[in-house]
Amino acid sequence: MDIFERFAVPHPSPAIYVSMVAIGLTVIAIIAGLTYFKKWGYLWREWLSTVDHKRIGIMYLISALLMLFRGGADAIMMRAQLAIPENKMLDAQHYNEIFTTHGTVMIIFMAMPFIMAFMNYIVPLQIGARDVAFPRLNALSFWLFFMGAMLLNISFVIGGSPDAGWTSYFPLANNEFSESVGTNYYMFALQISGMGTLMTGINMITTILKMRAPGMTLMKMPMFTWSSLVANIIIVFAFPVLTVALIMGTMDRLFATNFFTSTNGGMDMLWANFFWVWGHPEVYILVLPAFGIYSEIISTFSGRNLYGYKSMVGSMVIISLLSFLVWTHHFFTMGQGALTNSIFSITTMAIAVPTGVKIFNWLFTLWKGKIIITTPMLYSLLFIPIFTIGGVTGVMLGMSAADYQYHNTMFLVAHFHMVIIPGVVFAMLAGFHYYWPKMFGFILNEKIGKWTAWIISMSTLLAFMPMFFSGLDGQARRMYTYSESTGYGIWNMLSFIGAIGLAIGFILIVYNVYYSTRYASRDISSDPWDARSLEWATPSPVPEYNFAIVPNVKSVDVLWEAKYNNHILFPGKYENIHMPNNSGIPFILGCIFFAWGFSFVFGMWIPAISTTIGIFVCMGHRSLEKDHGHYISVKEIEETETKLRGA
Amino acid sequence: MKKKWAILTAIFTITTMLTGCESFLVLDPKGPQAQTQAKDIILSIWIMSFIVIIVFGILAYMLIKYRASKQMPDYRPPHIEGSILVEAICVGIPVIIVVFLSIVSVQSNYKVESAPAIYKDKEPLIIYASTSNWKWHFSYPEENIETVNYLYIPVERPIEFKLYSYGPITSFWIPQLGGQKYAMADMVNTLHLAADVPGEFMGRNANFNGKGFAENTFNVTAMSQEEFDEWVNEVKDSAEPLTEQKFDKLLEHGHVGQSTYTGTHLTFLPPPEGENGGHQHGASQSDDSDNHSSEEHSSSEDSNSAHNSH
């Protein structure tokens, strides 16, 4: 009985029962389907044990989209609850769990894997490499992220979801005020996926610094690779802080240490400091690769080189430095006095300058270009005005005296959605449409794509612009209800309609994938957009080894040079290619980490100890294992190339 | 065509935002601190709209002029590296704007962190505002009375709020009198506010603190000094005293209505300042704890150093 009570959901509702049934049915359907079509072997060989950066990238992409719908469903429930004053659809506890999960899922388990998907898939191709520096570590990174995401997702049906906000401020997040295991889930889900992210950071930096094709100096790297490099450097500096903060938080919750308590010498503002020393750079980890994608797309569809390449790189480096100097603006109201607030107010507003440089560089990339508006380009063009509105409101928030009035209000919520959605989500959708033909060999339907882009962007405006007004009218964020006399009703209703529009847009994306998979022409070249950089020099679909011959680079737009200025891209002849072997260990290790996290969430010490041993056994196995990879012979390469290039 | 329509909508939205300003609580200030903040907000909205319009304008121009459909089929865009002049402008103008806003911001910071200048000659009224899940306790140490979930203040007199919490971090916010500040368990924060005119204002906790967060509000009534004194006397005559047991009961989780007491909880449960401070320890400050007038000069510095020293 005790066990049952421990794992039961503390606040059951029809929605949770429906989810339970849905999860159960999905699992049964997947297992039955795999067995019926005899796909277990295929799944294991081609996906679960793969170390190929392209397949890992695709797995990240699928996970990100799944989580987008998970977090989106939360968003719809929140907006529906607030659409009318004194709504009784959700109670306070349920609402708190939903906004906490929405924030956590969207940042950690949607936006992060989305950028990881493109980094994994594109970076090695853009720099002319055959894989990342540590392919097996890369697989492990993915499985740690994935298992972290799953751990957070089961919290909804086993034991209770986190309910202290995605920022999980102590002492609210401590046992005294958050009694359910929800916050334990938060701690372990973020910890496990955070470890994966840190490994990716190290992996990508090594890949970019050590594995570029001959001739590709740092200042000849495509902009997406540059942005990935900078973002990964931020990851390596920022994520250890999160790791430490989460360990301390976990210790407080499980072992009654007093790092963040309000009594016994703990310090509650320490959590806020740690969280935002990681959390503020985190937003640049997300947005810089997104900027990189925009640079690629805008340059490609303007038919022109990127304007101000050097200042683009410079501004990213400056942003990365400033990102570590502004965390205090997240708690201007913590009473640190006028001097401290003034300093952080200035550093915060200073970020607007390099960001502005990037906006103007994109605008000048259009100058004298030959602009073709495709779906990816449409997202990139819609990004500029919406992001500008989001960005300038960021400057407004940066004025700390004024922030006293915006702090914790819907104004802030409006601001960060108006930067993160166009900044990150639009970029990822643009990249999704742009790189789809490289990944799958056909173009997503342009007509549906453009409709979707318009619906999503206009709905973003409709959903978030009203929040600026309700915020200025005194609506605090995270309120599960409000009275009619406040007058917030109209703004929240508009937001709800916008949210519905966003949902329709995202469903249309799925429909587009379905429609195009069935009807799109497979007869496209490997370079359907007339693009400029190396990833488009490979055949589609990309063979396991990426490049049969290592490319020779002499400029940023190397493919463009090869196409129009007679640059010889692939000198020399085929040679045997050394590739890493697949391994099931990363997946198995990921599963053990899942069980490890789950055991700790519920304080089950015997499984916790045995899974810990399991982790070390896997690591030991890797240390003692002899695995030198394999060679792909010239004959095989010739066959593959002939088949793919259709020569 | 669609682009144009989108831009028009955006411009329309911004104009409505600017014209509709006055009706919003934050932009309808009733005290000097809120006024400073509202002025900053309006100023920044104007400057930012200018930037937004420039970006929209350039984007529209580029899209109209350089669309592929408007050009010769054999047009080949040139290779342009960038230009020092253009980039100097793109950096220079934002730098000027940021410098200007920084100056405004720093000045305002010092204004809102100190007692309002126009009421400088008046003795500030000190009110201890503390939260427990999910209510507000207001102690008037000089008057020796305490209220729960409502606040009476005199107009045209600086009010010095001493904020702290019996639990999660909360944020004390009266939009029409001025912006918020956190109330935390192990230190006391000082917030200076003042009301210019009598009236009723909404006050709330703005920082999420669990289930009862949405209803974590209080009413503020500003009145003349005479009316305020009258009310104090009335409370002293009629309200029951606040005992330790009564206060412990109030600290339990849950919502309660408004109530009034004589005496304050400060006597038996001192706030986390001076020698009782969580991490504001140090014997040198213990003398200050019962001497507010000497403390008020250094209070913002105190909380500042408290942060930095750990």
Side-chain angles (χ1 to χ4, degrees):
Chain A
M1 245 26 241
D2 178 45
I3 290 279
F4 183 78
E5 248 169 51
R6 231 156 125 198
F7 294 117
V9 181
H11 313 282
S13 74
I16 292 178
Y17 291 130
V18 170
S19 319
M20 281 179 177
V21 173
I23 291 173
L25 288 178
T26 316
V27 170
I28 292 169
I30 291 173
I31 293 175
L34 285 170
T35 314
Y36 182 79
F37 292 107
K38 300 198 172 55
K39 290 288 187 192
W40 284 105
Y42 164 80
L43 185 68
W44 176 260
R45 278 191 308 276
E46 302 290 322
W47 296 97
L48 300 184
S49 69
T50 188
V51 294
D52 183 345
H53 71 95
K54 298 180 286 297
R55 286 176 187 255
I56 290 171
I58 289 170
M59 290 195 287
Y60 269 119
L61 189 65
I62 295 168
S63 324
L65 284 175
L66 284 176
M67 289 298 111
L68 178 71
F69 282 92
R70 164 73 166 90
D74 288 336
I76 293 285
M77 282 199 274
M78 272 153 64
R79 293 326 314 167
Q81 162 67 20
L82 289 185
I84 30 178
E86 283 156 64
N87 196 352
K88 297 279 186 298
M89 192 184 93
L90 300 173
D91 60 21
Q93 177 62 28
H94 206 155
Y95 185 82
N96 298 346
E97 291 178 9
I98 286 173
F99 74 67
T100 303
T101 335
H102 169 76
T104 315
V105 163
M106 285 302 204
I107 296 287
I108 308 281
F109 301 120
M110 187 283 285
M112 284 302 272
F114 230 143
I115 64 158
M116 293 294 172
F118 292 111
M119 278 187 201
N120 262 287
Y121 200 97
I122 304 304
V123 167
L125 293 174
Q126 271 196 339
I127 62 173
R130 295 220 158 98
D131 207 326
V132 294
F134 312 111
R136 200 188 282 198
L137 187 70
N138 196 26
L140 180 59
S141 297
F142 170 76
W143 288 113
L144 286 180
F145 146 74
F146 185 80
M147 294 303 169
M150 290 304 110
L151 193 60
L152 190 86
N153 274 280
I154 60 163
S155 70
F156 193 48
V157 290
I158 305 175
S161 277
D163 58 358
W166 86 279
T167 52
S168 210
Y169 271 18
F170 281 79
L172 176 63
N174 217 335
N175 292 334
E176 192 186 348
F177 301 106
S178 297
E179 290 164 7
S180 84
V181 294
T183 306
N184 294 354
Y185 270 117
Y186 173 94
M187 296 283 159
F188 280 93
L190 263 64
Q191 188 68 277
I192 293 171
S193 64
M195 285 191 278
T197 307
L198 187 54
M199 291 176 197
T200 302
I202 295 164
N203 206 343
M204 282 289 159
I205 292 173
T206 319
T207 307
I208 296 172
L209 292 182
K210 302 297 277 186
M211 295 177 72
R212 277 165 292 140
M216 185 179 279
T217 58
L218 283 179
M219 290 313 276
K220 284 183 185 139
M221 292 198 304
M223 197 47 67
F224 179 67
T225 300
W226 250 117
S227 65
S228 300
L229 176 63
V230 176
N232 281 297
I233 291 172
I234 304 179
I235 285 178
V236 169
F237 279 94
F239 266 77
V241 183
L242 179 70
T243 308
V244 170
L246 289 171
I247 290 173
M248 290 164 85
T250 307
M251 302 268 277
D252 267 14
R253 286 187 61 87
L254 291 181
F255 307 114
T257 53
N258 286 298
F259 291 114
F260 306 126
T261 48
S262 48
T263 48
N264 299 325
M267 231 207 324
D268 43 9
M269 44 287 254
L270 187 60
W271 170 268
N273 274 286
F274 277 151
F275 186 86
W276 288 115
V277 167
W278 161 79
H280 199 85
E282 164 72 13
V283 304
Y284 293 98
I285 294 170
L286 296 176
V287 88
L288 289 180
F291 286 173
I293 287 185
Y294 285 133
S295 301
E296 301 291 339
I297 290 173
I298 291 177
S299 152
T300 298
F301 294 108
S302 302
R304 258 206 53 190
N305 67 315
L306 188 66
Y307 187 90
Y309 177 90
K310 281 179 193 159
S311 59
M312 282 297 216
V313 173
S315 60
M316 280 195 302
V317 173
I318 292 169
I319 289 174
S320 73
L321 295 174
L322 285 176
S323 73
F324 284 95
L325 298 177
V326 301
W327 82 95
T328 300
H329 73 217
H330 292 274
F331 39 89
F332 273 151
T333 60
M334 211 176 248
Q336 48 238 326
L339 178 66
T340 311
N341 277 359
S342 296
I343 292 167
F344 283 95
S345 176
I346 295 170
T347 54
T348 300
M349 286 192 277
I351 289 196
V353 177
T355 313
V357 167
K358 298 185 82 71
I359 298 269
F360 286 113
N361 278 340
W362 288 315
L363 290 174
F364 290 124
T365 302
L366 300 171
W367 183 49
K368 291 194 178 172
K370 194 174 184 180
I371 302 166
I372 300 165
I373 298 184
T374 56
T375 307
M377 185 63 165
L378 186 58
Y379 276 111
S380 313
L381 293 173
L382 287 165
F383 144 79
I384 292 177
I386 302 176
F387 183 82
T388 305
I389 299 175
V392 295
T393 51
V395 177
M396 292 168 68
L397 280 155
M399 298 178 69
S400 59
D403 178 73
Y404 281 21
Q405 292 282 25
Y406 306 130
H407 202 88
N408 275 325
T409 68
M410 293 310 278
F411 190 95
L412 166 82
V413 177
H415 156 72
F416 70 68
H417 282 90
M418 294 268 286
V419 287
I420 291 183
I421 292 182
V424 181
V425 179
F426 283 21
M428 296 308 141
L429 294 177
F432 179 79
H433 286 85
Y434 184 59
Y435 286 116
W436 187 271
K438 182 77 351 201
M439 291 173 173
F440 300 104
F442 58 93
I443 296 176
L444 290 173
N445 185 285
E446 281 285 293
K447 199 172 172 199
I448 306 175
K450 283 182 192 169
W451 267 101
T452 313
W454 279 109
I455 291 173
I456 288 182
S457 53
M458 291 305 129
S459 304
T460 305
L461 284 175
L462 184 58
F464 300 107
M465 287 302 277
M467 293 182 189
F468 286 120
F469 309 125
S470 66
L472 288 176
D473 206 15
Q475 188 185 354
R477 69 197 287 211
R478 296 170 169 176
M479 280 161 55
Y480 87 104
T481 190
Y482 52 90
S483 73
E484 200 168 351
S485 59
T486 55
Y488 308 149
I490 175 71
W491 304 119
N492 286 287
M493 180 50 94
L494 287 173
S495 279
F496 175 60
I497 298 169
I500 296 284
L502 279 166
I504 292 171
F506 289 120
I507 290 167
L508 272 176
I509 289 174
V510 177
Y511 174 71
N512 196 356
V513 170
Y514 163 79
Y515 179 88
S516 308
T517 309
R518 285 195 69 165
Y519 301 112
S521 159
R522 260 56 175 180
D523 186 22
I524 57 164
S525 73
S526 60
D527 177 24
W529 308 117
D530 196 13
R532 314 176 69 85
S533 45
L534 271 179
E535 70 269 33
W536 300 99
T538 58
S540 304
V542 187
E544 186 194 351
Y545 48 77
N546 295 353
F547 299 94
I549 298 165
V550 175
N552 170 37
V553 179
K554 68 159 198 177
S555 71
V556 177
D557 300 315
V558 54
L559 178 63
W560 188 262
E561 296 292 323
K563 280 190 289 191
Y564 297 101
N565 294 331
N566 304 318
H567 170 67
I568 296 163
L569 195 52
F570 297 113
K573 55 182 177 45
Y574 296 151
E575 281 168 31
N576 288 351
I577 296 173
H578 181 252
M579 295 301 289
N581 286 332
N582 281 358
S583 165
I585 296 282
F587 175 71
I588 293 167
L589 197 48
C591 293
I592 297 176
F593 261 105
F594 178 88
W596 177 82
F598 188 81
S599 318
F600 272 102
V601 166
F602 289 94
M604 302 181 294
W605 304 116
I606 294 166
I609 292 166
S610 40
T611 45
T612 309
I613 294 169
I615 291 167
F616 282 100
V617 168
C618 284
M619 284 158 63
H621 175 267
R622 175 56 173 155
S623 309
L624 302 171
E625 182 188 22
K626 286 198 170 48
D627 177 3
H628 300 295
H630 63 278
Y631 278 93
I632 301 174
S633 68
V634 171
K635 195 166 154 275
E636 256 178 276
I637 299 168
E638 271 168 358
E639 278 168 15
T640 318
E641 289 291 307
T642 321
K643 204 177 90 197
L644 289 175
R645 302 223 176 238
Chain B
M1 218 50 228
K2 278 173 182 168
K3 191 86 231 167
K4 239 183 224 167
W5 182 79
I7 291 166
L8 282 178
T9 329
I11 290 173
F12 174 75
T13 324
I14 291 165
T15 355
T16 22
M17 181 165 119
L18 291 176
T19 48
C21 282
E22 285 73 32
S23 55
F24 297 122
L25 281 189
V26 163
L27 300 173
D28 182 22
K30 299 290 185 210
Q33 310 298 59
Q35 219 152 34
T36 306
Q37 288 158 339
K39 252 192 243 161
D40 280 10
I41 291 172
I42 298 285
L43 174 77
S44 61
I45 287 178
W46 281 113
I47 296 177
M48 293 302 128
S49 318
F50 165 73
I51 295 172
V52 168
I53 287 166
I54 288 190
V55 169
F56 279 36
I58 299 178
L59 180 64
Y61 172 79
M62 296 294 179
L63 287 179
I64 291 164
K65 184 120 191 248
Y66 298 109
R67 281 284 280 275
S69 50
K70 300 233 167 110
Q71 288 159 337
M72 295 291 169
D74 60 344
Y75 172 69
R76 285 279 297 277
H79 182 91
I80 308 168
E81 283 289 341
S83 126
I84 302 278
L85 180 72
V86 173
E87 290 181 46
I89 294 171
C90 294
V91 174
I93 293 177
V95 165
I96 293 169
I97 293 173
V98 167
V99 168
F100 174 72
L101 287 178
S102 296
I103 293 168
V104 174
S105 173
V106 171
Q107 283 175 340
S108 304
N109 281 344
Y110 282 91
K111 261 188 225 164
V112 298
E113 283 291 342
S114 52
I118 47 167
Y119 304 126
K120 262 246 148 84
D121 50 330
K122 289 197 179 159
E123 179 75 7
L125 173 69
I126 291 165
I127 302 174
Y128 280 77
S130 55
T131 46
S132 62
N133 277 355
W134 292 276
K135 28 195 157 357
W136 286 94
H137 312 272
F138 299 105
S139 320
Y140 299 71
E142 280 161 49
E143 287 73 17
N144 200 29
I145 56 170
E146 181 155 329
T147 64
V148 174
N149 286 339
Y150 79 97
L151 187 60
Y152 276 16
I153 53 167
V155 293
E156 294 178 346
R157 183 174 165 189
I159 319 280
E160 201 175 307
F161 288 102
K162 301 283 186 185
L163 312 169
Y164 60 100
S165 157
Y166 292 97
I169 300 173
T170 53
S171 194
F172 178 87
W173 188 30
I174 309 170
Q176 288 186 285
L177 296 188
Q180 55 189 292
K181 218 175 232 189
Y182 282 175
M184 295 173 289
D186 49 2
M187 64 181 275
V188 170
N189 260 337
T190 306
L191 180 64
H192 301 272
L193 296 180
D196 288 333
V197 288
E200 295 242 351
F201 311 118
M202 182 270 277
R204 67 165 297 114
N205 161 27
N207 193 54
F208 177 64
N209 64 337
K211 249 187 268 186
F213 169 64
E215 292 92 8
N216 202 180
T217 57
F218 57 93
N219 294 327
V220 185
T221 313
M223 59 193 73
S224 68
Q225 183 72 44
E226 295 78 52
E227 281 174 286
F228 179 76
D229 293 338
E230 224 168 84
W231 170 73
V232 172
N233 288 330
E234 204 183 295
V235 168
K236 278 184 172 162
D237 291 342
S238 60
E240 50 179 302
L242 183 65
T243 60
E244 208 162 341
Q245 290 91 324
K246 180 78 198 160
F247 190 69
D248 283 343
K249 201 147 174 54
L250 278 174
L251 284 184
E252 286 168 14
H253 286 198
H255 292 286
V256 295
Q258 304 183 340
S259 50
T260 318
Y261 307 94
T262 54
T264 69
H265 72 264
L266 304 175
T267 48
F268 50 81
L269 204 57
E273 60 183 348
E275 63 185 356
N276 303 306
H279 62 278
Q280 224 172 211
H281 23 236
S284 63
Q285 286 175 14
S286 60
D287 295 342
D288 293 353
S289 63
D290 44 14
N291 187 350
H292 298 299
S293 58
S294 74
E295 195 192 55
E296 105 207 4
H297 300 293
S298 57
S299 54
S300 66
E301 292 307 312
D302 278 352
S303 50
N304 187 11
S305 62
H307 261 275
N308 295 338
S309 62
H310 288 263

